[in-house]
Amino acid sequence: MKLSVFSTKSYDRTYLDEVLTTRFPTLCTIEYHAFALTEETAPLALSSNAVSVFVNDTLDAPVLRALHAGGVRAILLRCAGFNHVDLSTAEELGLFVANVPAYSPEAVAEFAVTLIQTLNRKTHRAYNRVREGNFNIEGLLGTTLHGKTVGIVGVGRIGLAAARIFLGFGCRLLAYDPFAGEEFKQFGTLVKLDTLLQESNIVSLHCPLTDGTRHLINGETLARMKPGAMLVNTSRGGLIDSAAVIEALKTRHLGGLALDVYEAEGELFYNDHSGEIIDDDVLMRLMTFPNVLICGHQGFFTSEALTEIAGVTLSNLSDFADGRSCPRSLVAEGHVLVRTDTAPVRL
Ligand code: NAI
């Protein structure tokens, strides 16, 4: 089998090569591509049986059809979110699609809290000051998290991990999740979105991006937030209407914004654009606010999570190759023909 891996960074190679050698030595050969999967780059996967992609690769109908026509039968997501995959087209084509649902919920939850406390206590500004010999703490005033109300939107794996951490800070917890189970009730109260927005000092987004959650945070919902509250998004950029958030920052209604994700991140994130003129005026405006902190989608980025991502990705491929039922499959699994270098083989 041949696997084409798109959007590869050095750390992807390191962890995938390690897992391939130690756990799946005969599973496949891997071809790494540094660039993203798009309609233009899809032809480079056409000698492969499977492709592996990350959060900003394109997996719309034209790309899936091109891959399928060229013999690709399995799509392996190296991420949890699958909002960027046209699953109905994948299903129609009989493609195997599997994700890595929970590589380290704690890694993302811990990062959300890291962003909150950085923005709140201004350690990013203190770091720069102190390095220049400036030990003045004026302008670095924060608030104590203990006793504050944190609203968690989406109490799945990451939202629950965040709840456990916030509880340790002594926060009061509210959550909104139309599909929540019982687990959150040991940490706090499930409420309507309006109540959460009205009562929370910090709103942290941990729900997936779907048609129903796109721009969940918009002009109207921002207006319902407590004045001066902080909004944190480590989930998916499309949950927030960025133009509306700029307005809420300009009126001082929104007290702070911490983002690990951004709705138009696909063009920019994971690459060095420091020597270029960046054409995204919304992102550039966001970066001018002193109470905005933006990172480039790194919530997942711990060695534990990378080990898990590599292991589960190749385990998904192994399930597909051996015709086993895969618990992480996102569409119906077909017993499909896959091509080897010599002849088609029925799996
Ligand atoms: P999960 O599937 O365990 O939990 C998602 C929760 O959101 C579920 O409880 C679900 O009921 C809830 N939900 C669904 N629709 C909702 C709505 N309309 N309003 C409120 N809640 C809703 O997913 P998990 O593992 O907790 O991940 C959450 C998101 O985090 C992923 O969808 C992904 O986009 C993002 N993520 C970000 C990473 C990063 O590096 N920044 C890394 C991994 C995931």
Side-chain angles (χ1 to χ4, degrees):
M1 267 216 175
K2 186 170 161 198
L3 170 67
S4 274
V5 180
F6 286 87
S7 298
T8 310
K9 297 287 183 193
S10 63
Y11 45 84
D12 294 306
R13 284 174 194 243
T14 303
Y15 285 84
L16 281 168
D17 284 348
E18 168 74 15
V19 172
L20 186 69
T21 314
T22 54
R23 288 179 49 199
F24 302 97
T26 59
L27 178 62
C28 63
T29 56
I30 301 184
E31 186 170 44
Y32 290 108
H33 302 296
F35 43 82
L37 174 64
T38 63
E39 212 171 339
E40 289 72 41
T41 62
L44 288 155
L46 297 189
S47 62
S48 301
N49 312 98
V51 299
S52 175
V53 294
F54 197 48
V55 291
N56 290 324
D57 291 283
T58 306
L59 293 139
D60 57 11
V63 169
L64 293 177
R65 289 191 197 288
L67 292 174
H68 182 265
V72 170
R73 292 293 179 267
I75 312 282
L76 306 161
L77 310 181
R78 304 195 301 284
C79 54
F82 47 86
N83 52 284
H84 55 317
V85 188
D86 183 340
L87 286 180
S88 52
T89 301
E91 191 163 19
E92 175 200 319
L93 296 169
L95 287 169
F96 171 93
V97 184
N99 68 343
V100 185
Y103 35 88
S104 180
E106 288 77 16
V108 184
E110 287 171 15
F111 195 72
V113 179
T114 303
L115 289 181
I116 290 164
Q117 280 299 65
T118 303
L119 192 54
N120 172 30
R121 303 302 298 270
K122 303 175 180 62
T123 46
H124 56 314
R125 303 183 72 185
Y127 172 82
N128 287 325
R129 280 192 196 181
V130 169
R131 280 174 73 92
E132 301 219 336
N134 176 0
F135 301 97
N136 189 342
I137 61 169
E138 272 190 69
L140 304 183
L141 188 67
T143 59
T144 305
L145 277 195
H146 185 94
K148 296 294 181 303
T149 300
V150 178
I152 301 177
V153 179
V155 278
R157 285 168 284 243
I158 297 172
L160 286 172
R164 284 189 283 272
I165 300 171
F166 286 122
L167 208 63
F169 276 95
C171 296
R172 170 186 172 237
L173 296 186
L174 301 177
Y176 166 70
D177 186 332
F179 315 105
E182 292 297 300
E183 213 174 336
F184 178 74
K185 291 182 182 164
Q186 62 188 300
F187 305 119
T189 315
L190 281 168
V191 293
K192 292 189 171 145
L193 182 60
D194 267 3
T195 312
L196 181 146
L197 296 173
Q198 282 157 15
E199 294 190 16
S200 300
N201 303 98
I202 294 167
V203 174
S204 194
L205 304 181
H206 298 290
C207 62
L209 178 63
T210 63
D211 288 343
T213 60
R214 186 172 299 280
H215 287 187
L216 181 81
I217 301 298
N218 53 44
E220 267 179 39
T221 44
L222 282 162
R224 282 184 226 140
M225 283 178 70
K226 204 174 177 137
M230 185 193 289
L231 176 64
V232 187
N233 188 8
T234 56
S235 193
R236 284 293 179 268
L239 294 175
I240 294 182
D241 177 347
S242 307
V245 119
I246 288 174
E247 287 312 308
L249 286 161
K250 281 164 74 177
T251 60
R252 279 76 169 164
H253 179 70
L254 186 63
L257 175 70
L259 301 179
D260 187 42
V261 287
Y262 168 63
E263 57 183 332
E265 69 178 51
E267 298 291 312
L268 294 168
F269 283 18
Y270 298 119
N271 290 306
D272 180 0
H273 299 281
S274 56
E276 299 165 21
I277 292 170
I278 294 177
D279 285 325
D280 187 328
D281 290 352
V282 172
L283 181 64
M284 298 321 274
R285 178 67 178 107
L286 279 173
M287 292 207 266
T288 65
F289 294 97
N291 53 348
V292 171
L293 178 65
I294 303 178
C295 288
H297 206 146
Q298 66 174 90
F300 71 98
F301 199 49
T302 66
S303 57
E304 291 80 0
L306 290 185
T307 303
E308 188 68 13
I309 289 171
V312 174
T313 299
L314 293 181
S315 173
N316 288 345
L317 181 61
S318 168
D319 284 347
F320 167 74
D322 293 344
R324 278 191 303 270
S325 161
C326 175
R328 295 161 296 274
S329 170
L330 295 169
V331 294
E333 291 166 50
H335 290 273
V336 292
L337 284 173
V338 299
R339 209 178 49 222
T340 67
D341 286 346
T342 49
V345 177
R346 188 167 183 81
L347 292 178

